[in-house]
Amino acid sequence: EPEVTQTPSHQVTQMGQEVILRCVPISNHLYFYWYRQILGQKVEFLVSFYNNEISEKSEIFDDQFSVERPDGSNFTLKIRSTKLEDSAMYFCASSDGSLNTEAFFGQGTRLTVV
Amino acid sequence: AQKVTQAQTEISVVEKEDVTLDCVYETRDTTYYLFWYKQPPSGELVFLIRRNSFDEQNEISGRYSWNFQKSTSSFNFTITASQVVDSAVYFCALSEDAFSGSARQLTFGSGTQLTVLP
């Protein structure tokens, strides 16, 4: 069964450093998403991406965040200057955009900022 | 704005008991989707069910069943004869504008931690 793949599974970074979280969505999917889950809290929407541009973003997705689809398969989330409060599980998801569909989630990347 | 409320933060049951997880939602849209996801201790999000706003039929899948009541804006999830492996955090989620042709963002509830004791 096709799946969304995220790398790395766990990343530790120093405050102020840039990190790039990588995702390989399901190959025929057109819509891509990033969600964040701070430990013990709910899953929160960050951004959606379609046709090589952001279609929606939340208040959390400020100027320190960016997304990119650098090639035909990868979808990345960059955090320019990490803060302690960026520590969270980051989930990538993708969907084909058809009416009766759900988003498929990757297994997540746990980001720890120290 | 849309909102999903899961009032039960934690539930603990003994194996083989039935347990119901509550979900109440708010939306101004007339078309929307409701979801349940399971998050086991390993952390991934496992899709369980999707229900659109026009389909109020209850659904049963093995030990799982869902009760969608539009009149009370609720989408409750029942596990029958619970097992230790059911221990996880369960999230209810809402996606508005289901018929726009695009898959919209999900709004999640805060989750219910279910612990099934042997």
Side-chain angles (χ1 to χ4, degrees):
Chain A
E1 186 173 323
E3 59 181 16
V4 176
T5 306
Q6 290 185 243
T7 54
S9 55
H10 190 190
Q11 172 133 14
V12 181
T13 188
Q14 286 203 323
M15 192 169 55
Q17 294 295 306
E18 174 183 286
V19 294
I20 297 177
L21 309 184
R22 302 180 192 279
C23 169
V24 179
I26 294 173
S27 62
N28 64 336
H29 282 185
L30 302 175
Y31 294 84
F32 314 113
Y33 310 84
W34 284 101
Y35 288 81
R36 179 183 82 175
Q37 184 184 30
I38 295 172
L39 186 64
Q41 298 186 23
K42 70 166 91 173
V43 180
E44 300 173 292
F45 170 76
L46 290 178
V47 65
S48 60
F49 191 86
Y50 170 70
N51 200 25
N52 284 320
E53 61 183 23
I54 291 173
S55 48
E56 285 184 279
K57 61 182 180 179
S58 71
E59 291 176 354
I60 303 169
F61 193 87
D62 60 23
D63 291 345
Q64 70 159 346
F65 290 95
S66 62
V67 290
E68 195 177 34
R69 189 155 161 82
D71 52 42
S73 59
N74 289 288
F75 179 51
T76 62
L77 174 69
K78 182 192 291 186
I79 309 175
R80 288 192 184 81
S81 177
T82 50
K83 304 172 195 163
L84 294 177
E85 53 265 37
D86 293 327
S87 295
M89 181 78 95
Y90 288 82
F91 290 102
C92 174
S94 71
S95 68
D96 63 11
S98 59
L99 293 181
N100 293 306
T101 188
E102 72 276 4
F104 290 81
F105 282 83
Q107 79 279 19
T109 293
R110 181 166 296 286
L111 175 66
T112 302
V113 182
V114 298
Chain B
Q2 55 191 0
K3 185 179 176 182
V4 177
T5 302
Q6 295 180 254
Q8 303 150 309
T9 307
E10 296 181 27
I11 298 177
S12 187
V13 298
V14 177
E15 206 168 21
K16 296 184 184 172
E17 285 185 359
D18 299 347
V19 58
T20 295
L21 310 182
D22 297 334
C23 173
V24 173
Y25 63 91
E26 293 176 31
T27 177
R28 286 177 290 192
D29 274 20
T30 55
T31 58
Y32 50 88
Y33 275 115
L34 295 162
F35 301 79
W36 276 94
Y37 284 87
K38 174 182 179 181
Q39 186 175 44
S42 48
E44 73 270 25
L45 287 169
V46 179
F47 166 79
L48 296 178
I49 190 172
R50 176 189 64 248
R51 169 70 70 225
N52 77 52
S53 53
F54 292 102
D55 182 2
E56 289 192 70
Q57 276 195 335
N58 293 328
E59 181 158 338
I60 298 175
S61 175
R63 296 184 297 108
Y64 296 168
S65 63
W66 291 270
N67 184 336
F68 175 30
Q69 295 208 347
K70 233 170 163 177
S71 59
T72 56
S73 297
S74 65
F75 186 45
N76 297 336
F77 172 31
T78 297
I79 302 175
T80 304
S82 59
Q83 300 175 0
V84 172
V85 293
D86 295 328
S87 296
V89 180
Y90 290 85
F91 290 98
C92 181
L94 167 72
S95 175
E96 289 182 329
D97 197 12
F99 294 94
S100 71
S102 65
R104 300 291 293 272
Q105 65 185 72
L106 293 169
T107 296
F108 284 82
S110 52
T112 297
Q113 170 72 61
L114 174 65
T115 302
V116 181
L117 302 168

